[in-house]
Amino acid sequence: MITNVPRLTSADWDSWYTASWPTLYTAGWPSLVTDKEAEYFHRAVRPRPGMTAADLACGNGQWTRQLAAWGVKVTGYDFSAEAVRQAAVAGLQDGLSYTQWNINAETIPAALLPGSLDLVTCRHALPFLEYARALTDVGRWLKPSGTFYALVRVAADQDNDDADDGAAAQNDSDQEPFHRGFTEAQIDSLGIGWTHRTTYRLSAHNCGIVLRGYGDTATTPRHTAGETSRLPAPPPTPPAIEETRAR
């Protein structure tokens, strides 16, 4: 079955952040940063002060602010003017900024130069993007030692002939356009073109994905999409600055 997934507009997201976010924030969904996510992120990525980063589809900046709190110099990019406004209201500081950008349709910002970033992150948003093209761009922006991190919702498998074609992912139903995720098959396909991949479950419905070495076959054997590595032992990790109530 081939399903056409409707594109959400910036106005759709503006309305969602204006009307829905306060209720969802209280309920702990969708993107509050938990101590568990912070710990696993530190184990897999090992962020350090002075790193440069881009946070794609940053929403109102909760994860962007978390990266800044760890000393990362980061810019958050989002489609929604209302999300960017909320992020700015929550606080700006040296090394923390936000820019409105339609990742799927607009020209890449001048700041995202090839080989310029240590880290690119994208939480709960990759299924909304033309993710095959987006990951190619991410691979170009990263330094050779750079890392891509995504947190995605795990969706139920569907009989979808477009399951791994790199287009925007299928949402669970037409009534839940803001709740998109990836199937297991789509998650498996995300390692193609990268030499190293780590995946881990944070819960039954959330999966962390870490990719390194885009297109680098000279120094590291290419892994297949289904291969993953173990997480290293955890370093001392500061707690998340924003934490969901529901674990």
Side-chain angles (χ1 to χ4, degrees), residues 210-235:
V210 177
L211 302 177
R212 293 186 177 91
Y214 179 77
D216 180 11
T217 59
T219 58
T220 307
R222 184 176 300 279
H223 290 234
T224 64
E227 292 179 316
T228 60
S229 66
R230 288 186 173 183
L231 289 175

Side-chain angles (χ1 to χ4, degrees), residues 100-138:
Q100 186 180 3
W101 177 37
N102 183 340
I103 298 171
N104 283 333
E106 293 180 350
T107 301
I108 295 172
L112 296 176
L113 297 171
S116 63
L117 298 174
D118 297 299
L119 175 65
V120 177
T121 64
C122 185
R123 294 174 72 252
H124 292 294
L126 201 58
F128 293 91
L129 305 179
E130 295 173 4
Y131 57 88
R133 181 172 63 83
L135 287 177
T136 298
D137 290 335
V138 167

Side-chain angles (χ1 to χ4, degrees), residues 63-112:
W63 178 251
T64 325
R65 293 192 294 278
Q66 179 68 79
L67 291 173
W70 290 331
V72 176
K73 182 178 180 180
V74 57
T75 298
Y77 297 92
D78 200 272
F79 188 20
S80 166
E82 174 60 22
V84 171
R85 185 196 69 79
Q86 291 182 18
V89 167
L92 297 172
Q93 64 189 59
D94 288 343
L96 171 63
S97 61
Y98 300 96
T99 297
Q100 186 180 3
W101 177 37
N102 183 340
I103 298 171
N104 283 333
E106 293 180 350
T107 301
I108 295 172
L112 296 176

Side-chain angles (χ1 to χ4, degrees), residues 42-60:
H42 271 258
R43 291 170 64 183
V45 177
R46 297 188 181 273
R48 62 190 183 278
M51 292 179 76
T52 55
D55 184 22
L56 304 182
C58 66
N60 57 15

Side-chain angles (χ1 to χ4, degrees), residues 144-157:
S145 60
T147 301
F148 173 71
Y149 167 75
L151 181 67
V152 301
R153 194 168 66 90
V154 182
D157 287 329

Side-chain angles (χ1 to χ4, degrees), residues 12-70:
D12 292 331
W13 283 109
D14 287 346
S15 297
W16 187 85
Y17 274 101
T18 299
S20 301
W21 176 254
T23 300
L24 294 170
Y25 184 99
T26 302
W29 191 95
S31 56
L32 300 183
V33 183
T34 66
D35 285 344
K36 183 175 182 180
E37 182 182 4
E39 177 188 340
Y40 275 62
F41 180 77
H42 271 258
R43 291 170 64 183
V45 177
R46 297 188 181 273
R48 62 190 183 278
M51 292 179 76
T52 55
D55 184 22
L56 304 182
C58 66
N60 57 15
Q62 298 206 40
W63 178 251
T64 325
R65 293 192 294 278
Q66 179 68 79
L67 291 173
W70 290 331

Side-chain angles (χ1 to χ4, degrees), residues 186-205:
Q186 288 173 314
I187 290 172
D188 285 345
S189 75
L190 293 177
I192 296 173
W194 299 74
T195 58
H196 183 83
R197 186 186 77 155
T198 300
T199 63
Y200 49 86
R201 285 295 187 96
L202 291 172
S203 69
H205 302 293

